[in-house]
Amino acid sequence: MVPKKHQRQRQRQYCRVTGRTKSGEGTGQAYAVFKSLRKKVTKLTDTAKGNFYSHKFNNASSTAQTWKIIKNLGICKVKPRLEQDMNVNELNKKFLSCTVPEITDNNYLNPRFVPETVCDIRFRFLCVNPCDVLQSILRIKSDATGSDNINPKFIKILLPKILPYITYTFNTVLTKSTYPDCWKAAKIIPIPKSNNEYRPISILPYLSKVFENLMADQINKFMSDNAMLTNNQSGFRKNRSCTSAIIKIADDIREQIDENNVTLLVLLDYSKAFDTVNHNVLCAKLRNMFMFSKSSVKLVSSYLQNRRQSVVLSSVSSSYENVNRGVPQGSVLGPLLFTLYVNDLPNALSECNVHLYADDVQMYVSRPLNRINE
C-alpha cells in the first residue's frame, strides 16, 4: 500500500504536469490515467536500457571491453569517503613510513653476479628526435595534471609549436645526465580502502612521464638485444603477462604430476616492495650487472635522488616531504628499474624452481610422495 505522503507527492506531480488543481473536476480519473501512462513509460525506458546494454555486452570482443562497459555503468565505482578534517601532513609522513631497515653492509653494494651473456659495449642513453618525442606523447593516455600544474591538454594543443623545444630539453637532460628537480615532485591523491586505510595515488608531471617513456624504450631495447633479463620474470615485460606466468607454473606442475611427483608451492609477497629499493644497490647492479655506462648510471641516480611528494586533498596540500629510497610510484621507469633490481633473485635459489611476476615470487619444488616429509 502506497503511503499517504507518497500519494500526495504524486498528486502534486500530476497537477504540475496537467495544470489542474487537486480539487479540480475529473482529477481522480485523470490522475489514474496519468499513473498508467507513467508506468508504461517507465517500462518502455527500462526495456530500451536493457536492450541497449545487452547489445553492448553481446558485441564485446574481449574481457577488457566487458569490464570497460561495467565501469561506464558505474557498478564498480565506490564513492570515496575522505575525512575532510584529516591532517594531510601526518598522512604524507605515514605514506613515507617504512619498517624495512636501510642496508648498511658495503658487501651488498658490489654485486658479484656476472651476466651469462657478457656484453662488449656499455649501455648509453642516446639523444632523441622530435618523432620519438611525439610517439612518446601519444602513448600517454592520462590527462592528470601533476605538481607543475601544466595541463597535458594544453601541451598537446601547443605541440606543433613547442615540439622542437621539448626535444631540445630532453636531449639536454640526456647529455648532462642531470634530471630536472621540477620533474621529481609528486602529487599524492589519497584513495580510501576498505580497512580505514588510504592508498596513495602518485601523479607526476606530464613531461616527466614523456621523458621516462623514452628512457625506458632505450633500456628495454638494450636488455632485449643482449638477453640480460632472466626468463623467470613475467612482469613489466613485452609479450609477457600474468597469463604467461600462470601457464609456465601450471605446465611445470602438470609435468611433475605425470611423473607421480608432488609439488610444493610457496608464494612470497614483498612488503612495500617498490618503496624499499635501495638506490645504491640499484645503481651498483646497473653498473656491474647490466653494463650501464658511467653517464647512464649518473642520470638514473639523479632521477632517483632528491624526490619529494605532497598529499593533496580537495584544495588542501601538505608540505613536501623528501623521498629517500624506492622507485617513484606512478612513474613509467619505476617498474622497469624494480625488475632490474630483483632480476638476480633466481640465481640465489638453487634448491627449487622460481618464477617472478613484478614483486610476486613463486617458489616450488617437486618430489615423490614418499619423500614429502623432507
Side-chain angles (χ1 to χ4, degrees), residues 209-228:
K209 291 187 287 187
V210 175
F211 184 72
E212 288 182 54
N213 262 333
L214 298 171
M215 293 177 65
D217 287 344
Q218 294 190 27
I219 295 175
N220 279 322
K221 186 178 185 306
F222 182 80
M223 296 297 143
S224 177
D225 291 345
N226 295 281
M228 287 189 166

Side-chain angles (χ1 to χ4, degrees), residues 152-335:
K153 295 181 180 178
F154 181 72
I155 295 178
K156 293 176 181 178
I157 292 174
L158 297 178
L159 197 57
K161 297 292 184 181
I162 65 176
L163 182 58
Y165 302 100
I166 296 177
T167 306
Y168 175 80
T169 302
F170 287 175
N171 286 330
T172 301
V173 174
L174 291 171
T175 53
K176 293 186 176 297
S177 299
T178 303
Y179 206 82
D181 288 337
C182 60
W183 290 353
K184 300 178 183 180
K187 182 168 68 174
I188 305 297
I189 307 298
I191 302 298
K193 298 165 64 176
S194 58
N195 54 353
N196 295 326
E197 294 290 333
Y198 296 91
R199 182 187 305 277
I201 303 299
S202 178
I203 302 177
L204 296 171
Y206 182 74
L207 288 179
S208 171
K209 291 187 287 187
V210 175
F211 184 72
E212 288 182 54
N213 262 333
L214 298 171
M215 293 177 65
D217 287 344
Q218 294 190 27
I219 295 175
N220 279 322
K221 186 178 185 306
F222 182 80
M223 296 297 143
S224 177
D225 291 345
N226 295 281
M228 287 189 166
L229 293 180
T230 175
N231 290 325
N232 296 321
Q233 171 65 269
S234 294
F236 310 121
R237 296 179 65 180
K238 187 177 181 181
N239 299 325
R240 293 173 182 261
S241 63
C242 180
T243 303
S244 61
I246 293 175
I247 291 175
K248 171 65 170 64
I249 297 173
D251 283 348
D252 289 347
I253 294 176
R254 289 193 186 99
E255 288 181 3
Q256 295 301 321
I257 291 176
D258 292 339
E259 298 180 7
N260 296 322
N261 288 335
V262 176
T263 300
L264 304 179
L265 174 67
V266 176
L267 305 177
L268 302 183
D269 186 16
Y270 295 117
S271 176
K272 294 187 176 182
F274 284 67
D275 297 332
T276 55
V277 172
N278 184 284
H279 295 167
N280 292 330
V281 175
L282 175 59
C283 289
K285 289 187 175 184
L286 294 179
R287 180 176 59 253
N288 297 342
M289 294 168 51
F290 299 106
M291 313 301 289
F292 272 50
S293 66
K294 184 178 180 180
S295 60
S296 299
V297 174
K298 180 182 176 182
L299 179 56
V300 174
S301 177
S302 176
Y303 166 81
L304 294 171
Q305 294 176 356
N306 301 321
R307 303 195 75 93
R308 53 203 178 100
Q309 68 179 41
S310 170
V311 171
V312 178
L313 178 61
S314 299
S315 58
V316 181
S317 301
S318 71
S319 57
Y320 277 98
E321 293 285 344
N322 294 327
V323 183
N324 298 320
R325 57 180 171 176
V327 292
Q329 297 281 3
S331 64
V332 178
L333 197 58

